[in-house]
Amino acid sequence: MLDETGIFDLISTSLLFWEMITFAILLVLVAYFVYPPIRDQIQKRQAEIEGAIDEAQKTREEARELLTEYRRQIEEARGEGRRILEDARKQADAQRERTKKEAREEGDRIVQRARDEIGRERESAIRDVRREVAGMVIQASEQVLGRTVDHDEHERLVAQALDDLEAEVAGASTGSGSRTA
Amino acid sequence: MSGLLTLGQLSPEKVREEIIHTFEAGQHAYVHLSLLGIDISITKAVAFLWIGAAVTFLLMFVGSRMLKNRPGAYQVIVEEIYGFGRNSLAGQMGEEGRKFFPYTLTLFVFLLVLNLIGLIPNSYPVTSSITFTLGLALLTFFITQFVGIQRNGLGGYVKAFVPPGLPLKIVFVPFMFFIEWISELSKPLTLAMRLYANILAGHLLIFIFLSFILYFGTYMAVISVPMALVLYAFEIFVAVLQAYIFAILTQVYIEIALFRQEH
């Protein structure tokens, strides 16, 4: 021993000897039992993470494709819907127009029928009234004259008077726009 | 109280002995052994060397046996140490240097554990022994030369010590070769001295501050103990730093030898 204090134990053969042996053993043990499992674990996790990232990218790609597909389908469906709606609207319009037209025609027909009926009724009423009036006038004339008047002649006169009256009435009513004409 | 006061009555020689005692204790042989006439006794230093090696191995081994896909705190530490060795220590100059990381990383953890164990009172700081640090430094030196020659070939490796394009080749080539070899030989020496001196000086400083109590008296403790505490904390930092420096320089030296011709 060069230095008895031990601070500068330059040649401590025992320490040097055991140091080399100990360090060699430690190195071998650590290199065989410690580093490989840690390396494998790290590599495994790295592979897993890379796999997960790839998977995520693939999934995202798929999702993007699906989204595009869905958008396209939605666009198609929307177009289809619009078209159906348009058709329905057109059909409805056509139907409405047809119904309206039919209704108008039916109404016109009803009105026309009513008019015809009214015209017929009026004609018949006028005929009745004339007949009645003529009868009554003849009767009154017979009573006033006290004799039988020529029936045919009389009737003619009455009809003429009535015609005149009628013409007068007609002339008066055209000014007020009568619909009975 | 009178017992405490007597602490201040120690002579300088006695105080010196008290300080040095820790390092002397390292030489104390538990078992006397001899191999071919060489002393290989189991001393306190050797015992703490083994304790350090055992702790180093167990710390790493336990960590490597409880590996899970979802790491816990301990696994993260072990994996970080591994990653530090593989990515931070190794590969300083080229990918090929990475294959030496098990050596440098083991060295780092081993030195760190020994440095820290040395801070425990009544233990022995193995890294404060020049024999120990020089041993590891020489090991590094031999590995360096071996891998350098192995990769570059003996001729290529030796030639690479002289930079190309020197004027006056007859003078400068031997001169540069000589200078470069001094630099090469100083590498293990500086490596060993740096670690040894830092750890020894740190411990001595702590002891010296505490020995003020023995020399000047109990009241000195007011200054000595806080100072020793501060130094102690600093020593923990030094323990980590020096282990790191030793390991990274070892790796750098190996890689310089590997890529001798490229640089």
Side-chain angles (χ1 to χ4, degrees), chain A:
Chain A
M1 195 98 19
L2 292 176
D3 170 35
E4 74 277 6
T5 60
I7 294 180
F8 306 104
D9 58 336
L10 261 175
I11 312 167
S12 171
T13 47
S14 70
L15 185 59
L16 190 63
F17 176 80
W18 289 116
E19 171 192 359
M20 289 301 146
I21 289 180
T22 311
F23 188 66
I25 292 172
L26 178 68
L27 201 57
V28 169
L29 283 179
V30 168
Y32 278 93
F33 295 107
V34 174
Y35 294 144
I38 298 176
R39 184 196 58 216
D40 293 348
Q41 175 66 33
I42 289 173
Q43 279 173 353
K44 195 175 127 205
R45 189 176 315 124
Q46 201 170 346
E48 271 174 23
I49 289 169
E50 274 166 14
I53 289 171
D54 286 350
E55 183 75 31
Q57 263 168 356
K58 213 191 298 166
T59 311
R60 200 169 54 188
E61 212 52 51
E62 277 176 18
R64 194 175 292 144
E65 276 167 22
L66 274 179
L67 189 67
T68 316
E69 175 67 20
Y70 285 151
R71 278 201 182 127
R72 198 180 56 72
Q73 283 180 0
I74 287 172
E75 213 45 55
E76 270 180 24
R78 209 170 269 158
E80 181 84 351
R82 250 198 308 270
R83 208 169 48 67
I84 291 170
L85 208 63
E86 201 55 43
D87 284 359
R89 197 172 287 139
K90 271 186 203 151
Q91 277 180 6
D93 281 349
Q95 180 73 29
R96 195 167 58 224
E97 284 304 315
R98 203 161 52 236
T99 312
K100 225 191 260 176
K101 198 167 144 221
E102 278 174 13
R104 203 178 292 129
E105 283 170 4
E106 178 71 21
D108 286 352
R109 263 202 306 279
I110 290 169
V111 167
Q112 197 54 48
R113 252 204 318 271
R115 265 188 203 144
D116 293 350
E117 188 79 8
I118 288 164
R120 272 198 304 278
E121 285 297 320
R122 199 183 66 178
E123 290 297 317
S124 131
I126 287 170
R127 262 197 313 276
D128 284 356
V129 165
R130 283 178 88 145
R131 202 182 305 121
E132 201 79 8
V133 167
M136 277 160 66
V137 167
I138 292 168
Q139 216 173 352
S141 301
E142 277 175 353
Q143 276 180 0
V144 169
L145 294 174
R147 62 174 182 97
T148 321
V149 288
D150 181 11
H151 207 268
D152 293 334
E153 176 66 15
H154 208 97
E155 233 173 37
R156 195 186 52 80
L157 284 173
V158 170
Q160 195 179 351
L162 279 172
D163 285 344
D164 290 346
L165 181 70
E166 219 170 74
E168 262 174 50
V169 170
S173 66
T174 48
S176 64
S178 167
R179 293 177 186 176
T180 52

Side-chain angles (χ1 to χ4, degrees), chain B residues 12-251:
Chain B
E13 285 71 34
K14 186 72 185 151
V15 170
R16 183 174 171 277
E17 261 174 47
E18 286 289 329
I19 293 171
I20 288 170
H21 173 72
T22 306
F23 299 97
E24 277 179 338
Q27 306 304 312
H28 172 72
Y30 297 128
V31 182
H32 287 281
L33 287 174
S34 170
L35 183 75
L36 303 170
I38 301 167
D39 172 40
I40 53 162
S41 306
I42 314 294
T43 59
K44 189 178 178 184
V46 173
F48 274 92
L49 172 78
W50 287 347
I51 292 172
V55 170
T56 304
F57 178 68
L58 282 179
L59 273 178
M60 304 291 284
F61 184 72
V62 170
S64 73
R65 293 298 119 166
M66 43 188 278
L67 296 172
K68 294 187 205 86
N69 257 353
R70 297 189 173 196
Y74 191 64
Q75 188 184 338
V76 168
I77 292 170
V78 171
E79 283 182 12
E80 279 302 312
I81 289 173
Y82 179 89
F84 160 76
R86 199 177 178 285
N87 306 319
S88 298
L89 279 181
Q92 300 287 337
M93 301 174 87
E95 279 301 305
E96 217 177 313
R98 279 200 205 284
K99 64 182 176 193
F100 289 96
F101 94 87
Y103 174 68
T104 35
L105 181 58
T106 310
L107 205 55
F108 169 71
V109 181
F110 187 39
L111 289 177
L112 179 63
V113 168
L114 284 176
N115 285 349
L116 291 175
I117 283 179
L119 285 171
I120 298 169
N122 256 336
S123 70
Y124 178 76
V126 183
T127 43
S128 74
S129 156
I130 185 75
T131 309
F132 178 80
T133 57
L134 198 59
L136 288 182
L138 284 175
L139 189 62
T140 296
F141 178 77
F142 291 130
I143 290 174
T144 306
Q145 303 313 314
F146 179 74
V147 298
I149 291 167
Q150 192 189 35
R151 190 175 182 277
N152 301 296
L154 184 60
Y157 182 67
V158 173
K159 253 190 258 169
F161 273 90
V162 182
L166 281 178
L168 261 173
K169 282 196 193 308
I170 194 117
V171 180
F172 278 104
V173 167
F175 178 70
M176 280 310 291
F177 188 77
F178 179 67
I179 294 281
E180 285 287 325
W181 260 100
I182 288 181
S183 146
E184 190 68 16
L185 289 172
S186 68
K187 279 176 184 174
L189 266 178
T190 53
L191 204 56
M193 289 296 284
R194 187 183 298 109
L195 178 61
Y196 150 78
N198 267 287
I199 303 301
L200 181 68
H203 281 79
L204 282 178
L205 270 176
I206 295 172
F207 283 131
I208 287 166
F209 268 101
L210 288 176
S211 71
F212 284 165
I213 303 170
L214 300 175
Y215 191 68
F216 292 110
T218 322
Y219 300 109
M220 196 60 196
V222 180
I223 297 169
S224 286
V225 172
M227 280 309 290
L229 266 176
V230 169
L231 281 169
Y232 197 91
F234 183 66
E235 275 310 295
I236 296 174
F237 167 68
V238 169
V240 181
L241 186 69
Q242 290 304 323
Y244 173 70
I245 290 174
F246 196 98
I248 197 154
L249 282 181
T250 296
Q251 180 72 33

